[in-house]
Amino acid sequence: ATAPMPAPAPRAPEPPPAAALMPEDTAVSSWLSPGRAIRVPTGYVVPLALLIVVLVVGAYATGYRSRKSEELTQKSDSAAQEMDALVDPLNQHAAAPPPTKAAPKPAGQSTKSPPPKATTPPKTSEAKANPGVPGRSAGVVIVTGPGDDPRQSGLNYLIAATLPLDEAEKAAAFLVSRGLEIAVVPADNRSLRWVVVLQGTAAKDLSGQSAKTLEQRLQVLGREYKQVLKGPTVFNDPWWKKHTK
């Protein structure tokens, strides 16, 4: 006879994992503790690095464009303020004086008016005129030789445009009618003439406010010349030239 087999001893329950035994805050802090390694597949490293580079470059480009836009806006505002300070002849409309009623004449007085007196034409400019030359307006200096040139040696003069003779005289007459003293001077090319503003400026004053104001005024008059008289230029590219004899 065989003896009965003893019953197997009961197995002790397995202990729970360490993460389950720790509280939730302790488990999260263990993930964020220093020295914790995070495994990233090698295939993700290169795209991730490229994404970071693209983000950095995009942020720099956006900031650069924003800064340039602000600079252009500031420059435009400054130019607009300077142009507003100038007087545009197109916006000036001289108000006509109100009509005056003639005072009634006393009874018995003759109604015949005396003959009009001869009047002398007003002077248009202090510049040297050219009477007797057909087609040339008084006040425009036409320089044909060194003796006719009123410019002072050593000073700089603003050249408004380079045009053929007929167009140069028309442009000069227009500028004279707007209050500038103008000379038509032979250019480097025999068939062309320089339209010169007779306002001499020393070299040290070329960057001053007076020279800048003259350039801006010339551009304002150029728009009127182009719009009203259909001129071939708007005087948008004037340049200074030193006069030497």
Side-chain angles (χ1 to χ4, degrees):
T2 59
M5 295 291 293
R11 296 178 60 184
E14 296 181 358
L21 294 177
M22 291 186 298
E24 184 177 357
D25 295 341
T26 307
V28 172
S29 62
S30 65
W31 280 94
L32 301 178
S33 59
R36 186 75 180 182
I38 300 177
R39 295 182 179 179
V40 179
T42 307
Y44 292 166
V45 174
V46 175
L48 183 60
L50 292 177
L51 179 61
I52 293 174
V53 172
V54 170
L55 291 177
V56 171
V57 173
Y60 175 79
T62 302
Y64 180 79
R65 286 196 299 268
S66 177
R67 185 178 62 184
K68 284 295 183 183
S69 178
E70 292 178 357
E71 292 179 357
L72 290 176
T73 302
Q74 293 177 356
K75 290 181 179 179
S76 300
D77 293 342
S78 300
Q81 292 176 359
E82 292 179 358
M83 293 301 295
D84 291 340
L86 297 176
V87 179
D88 195 339
L90 294 178
N91 297 328
Q92 289 184 338
H93 301 283
T100 57
K101 295 182 179 180
K105 295 183 179 180
Q109 186 176 356
S110 176
T111 58
K112 294 183 179 180
S113 58
K117 296 181 180 181
T119 57
T120 57
K123 296 181 179 180
T124 58
S125 174
E126 296 179 359
K128 189 187 301 181
N130 292 276
V133 182
R136 295 178 181 176
S137 301
V140 178
V141 180
I142 306 297
V143 177
T144 58
D148 300 332
D149 201 331
R151 292 178 294 175
Q152 182 178 347
S153 180
L155 294 181
N156 296 270
Y157 292 87
L158 187 61
I159 298 179
T162 304
L163 299 168
L165 178 60
D166 293 340
E167 294 293 342
E169 291 181 358
K170 292 178 182 178
F174 168 78
L175 293 176
V176 167
S177 68
R178 295 303 184 267
L180 295 178
E181 294 187 1
I182 303 296
V184 177
V185 181
D188 297 335
N189 190 329
R190 286 188 175 182
S191 61
L192 299 177
R193 297 295 185 272
W194 285 330
V195 181
V196 182
V197 182
L198 294 178
Q199 180 176 329
T201 304
K204 61 183 181 62
D205 297 329
L206 290 178
S207 58
Q209 185 60 38
S210 178
K212 298 299 181 184
T213 301
L214 181 59
E215 295 175 3
Q216 294 171 353
R217 182 185 178 190
L218 193 62
Q219 294 178 6
V220 171
L221 293 176
R223 294 197 299 269
E224 182 186 3
Y225 179 59
K226 183 71 173 180
Q227 181 177 355
V228 177
L229 299 181
K230 309 301 181 184
T233 179
V234 293
F235 310 128
N236 60 339
D237 192 20
W239 53 285
W240 293 90
K241 187 178 188 308
K242 185 177 182 180
H243 179 64
T244 55
K245 291 185 179 180

